[in-house]
Amino acid sequence: MIDINLIRTNRDLVKENIKKKFQDKKLPLVDEVYDMDVKYRTIRTEADEARSKVNTLSKEIGLLMRDKKLEEANKVKEEVSTIKGRIPELEKEEEYLEKEIKERMMKIPNI
C-alpha cells in the first residue's frame, strides 16, 4: 500500500506513476484520498480538542463545586454534556473516513 504522506506531499508524482502504469481510471482515487485525508485530520483535531476541553472544564467544575459556586458549575456541566454528545459523532465520522481512505489507497499502485 502506498504511503499517505506521499499523497499528502506529492500527488503529482503519484498520478504520474499511475499514468506510467496505464491505469488512468485510478487517477481520481489520488484526489479522493487527499480530500478525505484533509477532512479526516480536521475531524480528528476537532475530536481531540473536544476531549481536551472536556477535561479542562471537568477540572473547572471541581473547583467551582469546592468554592460552592453551584450555579456556575451547573452551567459548565451543561457545556460539558453538549461537547460530550458531539464526540461520538466525530469518532464515528473519523472511523468511516479512515476505512474509506484505506480502501482507496489499497487500489493505488505503489511507486
Side-chain angles (χ1 to χ4, degrees):
M1 183 168 75
I2 194 163
D3 185 16
I4 188 73
N5 289 321
L6 189 57
I7 293 175
R8 287 177 187 152
T9 59
N10 204 341
R11 280 189 288 171
D12 293 332
L13 177 67
V14 175
K15 288 180 179 181
E16 202 57 43
N17 180 58
I18 292 172
K19 288 178 186 176
K20 286 179 186 175
K21 293 182 179 189
F22 302 104
Q23 297 180 3
D24 290 355
K25 66 181 183 234
K26 294 183 179 181
L27 284 172
L29 291 174
V30 177
D31 290 327
E32 288 175 20
V33 167
Y34 180 79
D35 292 340
M36 291 174 104
D37 181 60
V38 169
K39 187 174 180 181
Y40 169 80
R41 292 189 304 155
T42 301
I43 289 172
R44 185 172 189 145
T45 300
E46 187 178 338
D48 289 345
E49 288 172 355
R51 286 185 207 98
S52 175
K53 188 164 186 166
V54 165
N55 290 339
T56 303
L57 291 175
S58 294
K59 290 176 186 175
E60 185 179 328
I61 291 169
L63 293 174
L64 290 170
M65 295 295 277
R66 185 187 70 194
D67 295 339
K68 307 269 192 259
K69 297 179 181 177
L70 300 178
E71 191 173 308
E72 289 178 46
N74 287 332
K75 288 179 185 177
V76 176
K77 282 181 184 179
E78 288 177 22
E79 186 178 350
V80 167
S81 67
T82 303
I83 295 169
K84 279 186 175 180
R86 177 89 172 109
I87 292 173
E89 296 170 19
L90 294 170
E91 289 173 343
K92 186 176 179 182
E93 182 72 14
E94 191 178 330
E95 287 174 19
Y96 170 77
L97 286 170
E98 189 174 20
K99 181 180 144 250
E100 291 296 314
I101 290 169
K102 187 173 182 177
E103 283 180 20
R104 285 170 174 75
M105 285 180 55
M106 295 294 274
K107 297 175 186 173
I108 297 173
N110 280 325
I111 293 184

